[in-house]
Structures are given as C-alpha cells and as structure tokens.
Amino acid sequence: MTNDYEEGRSGRVRGWREATEAALYGPGGFYRRPAGPAGHFRTSVHASPLYADAVARLLCRLDAELGHPDEVAFVDMGAGRGELTTGVLAALPADVAARVRAYAVERAERPAGLDPRVAWRSAPPPDVTGLLFANEWLDNVPVDVVEVAADGTPRRVLVRDDGTESPGGPVEGPDAHWLARWWPLDPEPGLRAEVGRPRDEAWAAAVATLTRGLAVAVDYAHTRDARPPFGTLTGFREGRETAPVPDGEGDITAHVALDACALAGARLLGQRAALGALGVSGGRPPLALASSDPAAYVRALSRAGQAAELTAPGGLGDFGWLLQPVGVRLESLLPA
C-alpha cells in the first residue's frame, strides 16, 4: 500500500494500522496503562474461573500427549495483567504445576504482586514445548482498513487522532493479494474490509516458537464465506462499545479472519464446542441435589450460570477457536 501520511492543523492523518499501533502500544498507550483491559471490557478470562480451568485441562491433556516432559511451557499471549496465567497455575494438579514454566507475554510493565513463577516477557520465548494460548490477542494486532471508493477501487482509509476518516491511496502489493484471496470486495462504494495480513504473520511467528505442542487463538472471528460487508472495526471505553478513536484512551479492535491465519493441520471451531469438549457445560444441576445437599446445589447452579455465559450464542459463545498442532495429535486433545 502507499504510505499516506499528513500533518495538518487538525492532527495527524495516517492509516488505521499505524494509528492503532500508536494508540494501543505507544508511550501512554491503552495497553500500557496500569488499569489494563479489564477496566474497559469483559472477556472470557474475566467472566469466570471456569475458563482458566478449561485451559488448564487442555494443558494437562497436552502434557500427557507430550509424554509428561520435565518441563512444559504455558505461554499466555496478550496476557493483560496475568489473569489467565494466574488462573491456569491455580487450577493445575500439583504434579503438572511443578513442571510448568509459565510465560505472560504483554507489552505493558509487569504488574505488582504477580506470581513469581510467571516470567513476564514482551515477546514469546523461542524453542519451547507446550501450550501457546492467545485469548483475544490477534484482534489487537493492528490492521489497515480499506473502503471501496466511488470508482469501485479499494482505497486505504486514513484517520486523524480524533477518529475523523478520509480516503487514501489504492490498495497495492501484498495487501491487494491478501484481499483478493481472503476478503474480495465487490466494486460497490462503501464496502469495507480489514487487511488481516499482519495478523497472519504475527500468528505464524508465534506458532514458530513452539518446538512441539499446541497453539490456540481465541477471538471474535469470521470466515471467507461470511465476511461482514462493512468491516468490524470498533472501540471499547469504560465498559461500553464506542466508535474507534486512536487517541490512546480506549481499545481499538476488529474481528479476526481466523481462516486466513490457519496453517496446515489447523482446526477451527466455536467456543461452545471447544469448551464443551473441555468439560464446561451450562446444564442445570439435578433438582434432587437441592434437597440432599443445598450448598452443593447452589455451587453447581453458580457454575452452570458461569458456563452458560461462556458458551452463550450472541455473546462469548460466538468466539472462534483456532487450534494449531505442532507435532502432536489434535484428536487426542480436543476430539472432533
């Protein structure tokens, strides 16, 4: 793509990829702030400890598939403030936890009070064996946005710091090839797409850090047969979805073309199916338990409610899971 950039009286004008990179990860950017993403939006990790329990169960299955090595890695990509890593370590059986080397990968500074067993890194460790888990990481890998102009040509969308957009140059080179393959646009003015090539590259690089194991990406996603006609770029601020504004005050995100990210041997499935295969079910406990053990019934009912939220259609259950095995049998970890 052409490198459109201007500096005017009303602020910088640049592509969404560059603007998002600065807003999220630049000095004072959204993901570098002490509060972290949990203060602005709710993810599966924050919704229930059942999610970390399920990931821990997957790690235990992988450990068995790997033959119980002396050390098994758990790499948490886009770790926030270490919430998922902390939950997984707490949920692991003692014999597995003793062999797990946990890494939280995040660009922010290490949070105070984090479990000392967790290594805090700005990039994933190389040459590890184990589970790399990316919960809502790829949706925050910045991408450019394109829109079909009046002449039917896809052009890059430029944006000022206040969120005001304007048309840029035509899509060219590798980005044009990516669009043609993964998100072809009809020549209808106003149609939009997000160019997911940087995410494909980021995911491939993350998977390449595994010598053997499993990489999992979980995100709101879409596939080539059902791309949203006007894209998905949006913002989140203080718990509410908002218009995306690259000022560093809120999150900027877009759904992920997970099918484009997938490498050979990968499997795509929905969160409801994935969590179901890992033992998370929203079914109500039997009423008989209310009479025989009321306290246990209340606990079971609470777990069922949390599981229902994690798997609900129209909500967290709509997340896509990309499972990428590296030298292991996927069917032994999450049966089809």
Side-chain angles (χ1 to χ4, degrees), residues 177-304:
H177 292 304
W178 188 94
L179 281 175
R181 179 178 180 185
W182 293 110
W183 199 330
L185 291 168
D186 292 332
E188 179 182 337
L191 294 181
R192 288 168 68 113
E194 292 108 25
V195 183
R197 186 173 60 86
R199 293 169 173 177
D200 299 356
E201 294 170 352
W203 180 243
V207 172
T209 65
L210 288 178
T211 301
R212 190 165 176 239
L214 177 69
V216 181
V218 183
D219 252 305
Y220 281 121
H222 44 69
T223 54
R224 193 181 187 281
D225 59 346
R227 302 287 188 221
F230 302 106
T232 62
L233 188 74
T234 192
F236 285 92
R237 195 174 302 219
E238 297 178 354
R240 299 192 307 275
E241 187 171 2
T242 66
V245 179
D247 59 4
E249 297 293 329
D251 191 25
I252 299 171
T253 179
H255 295 187
V256 182
L258 280 181
D259 52 341
C261 296
L263 305 172
R267 185 197 304 168
L268 292 172
L269 69 164
Q271 175 150 299
R272 184 180 184 89
L275 291 182
L278 292 169
V280 178
S281 170
R284 291 175 64 90
L287 285 174
L289 185 62
S291 300
S292 61
D293 191 341
Y297 178 77
V298 171
R299 290 194 299 271
L301 194 63
S302 174
R303 287 176 62 87

Side-chain angles (χ1 to χ4, degrees), residues 22-328:
L24 298 185
Y25 306 113
F30 176 76
Y31 277 100
R32 293 185 179 273
R33 298 187 175 196
H40 294 264
F41 52 86
R42 181 176 174 85
T43 72
S44 298
V45 176
H46 309 127
S48 169
L50 295 180
Y51 192 76
D53 291 350
V55 177
R57 198 168 296 117
L58 178 59
L59 181 55
C60 288
R61 292 181 186 179
L62 178 61
D63 176 60
E65 171 69 13
L66 293 168
H68 308 290
D70 292 339
E71 181 176 294
V72 60
F74 176 67
V75 183
D76 182 6
M77 296 294 298
R81 296 304 175 264
E83 297 95 337
L84 178 60
T85 308
T86 300
V88 168
L89 288 175
L92 289 172
D95 64 311
V96 179
R99 292 181 289 106
V100 166
R101 180 72 165 126
Y103 301 90
V105 181
E106 184 59 77
R107 297 208 214 179
E109 295 297 320
R110 181 187 182 97
L114 184 66
D115 191 320
R117 293 177 294 174
V118 180
W120 192 263
R121 296 177 58 96
S122 60
D127 304 323
V128 297
T129 296
L131 175 61
L132 182 144
F133 202 89
N135 185 75
E136 293 194 64
W137 170 59
L138 285 173
D139 69 315
N140 287 127
V141 173
V143 293
D144 270 310
V145 177
V146 302
E147 181 172 323
V148 178
D151 63 358
T153 302
R155 291 183 172 271
R156 191 164 67 138
V157 176
L158 307 182
V159 62
R160 297 186 184 277
D161 292 350
D162 64 0
T164 303
E165 293 183 337
S166 58
V171 184
E172 300 172 342
D175 288 329
H177 292 304
W178 188 94
L179 281 175
R181 179 178 180 185
W182 293 110
W183 199 330
L185 291 168
D186 292 332
E188 179 182 337
L191 294 181
R192 288 168 68 113
E194 292 108 25
V195 183
R197 186 173 60 86
R199 293 169 173 177
D200 299 356
E201 294 170 352
W203 180 243
V207 172
T209 65
L210 288 178
T211 301
R212 190 165 176 239
L214 177 69
V216 181
V218 183
D219 252 305
Y220 281 121
H222 44 69
T223 54
R224 193 181 187 281
D225 59 346
R227 302 287 188 221
F230 302 106
T232 62
L233 188 74
T234 192
F236 285 92
R237 195 174 302 219
E238 297 178 354
R240 299 192 307 275
E241 187 171 2
T242 66
V245 179
D247 59 4
E249 297 293 329
D251 191 25
I252 299 171
T253 179
H255 295 187
V256 182
L258 280 181
D259 52 341
C261 296
L263 305 172
R267 185 197 304 168
L268 292 172
L269 69 164
Q271 175 150 299
R272 184 180 184 89
L275 291 182
L278 292 169
V280 178
S281 170
R284 291 175 64 90
L287 285 174
L289 185 62
S291 300
S292 61
D293 191 341
Y297 178 77
V298 171
R299 290 194 299 271
L301 194 63
S302 174
R303 287 176 62 87
Q306 294 174 33
E309 181 181 2
L310 289 172
T311 58
L316 298 176
D318 288 347
F319 276 100
W321 283 47
L322 168 58
L323 308 171
Q324 189 72 57
V326 179
V328 297

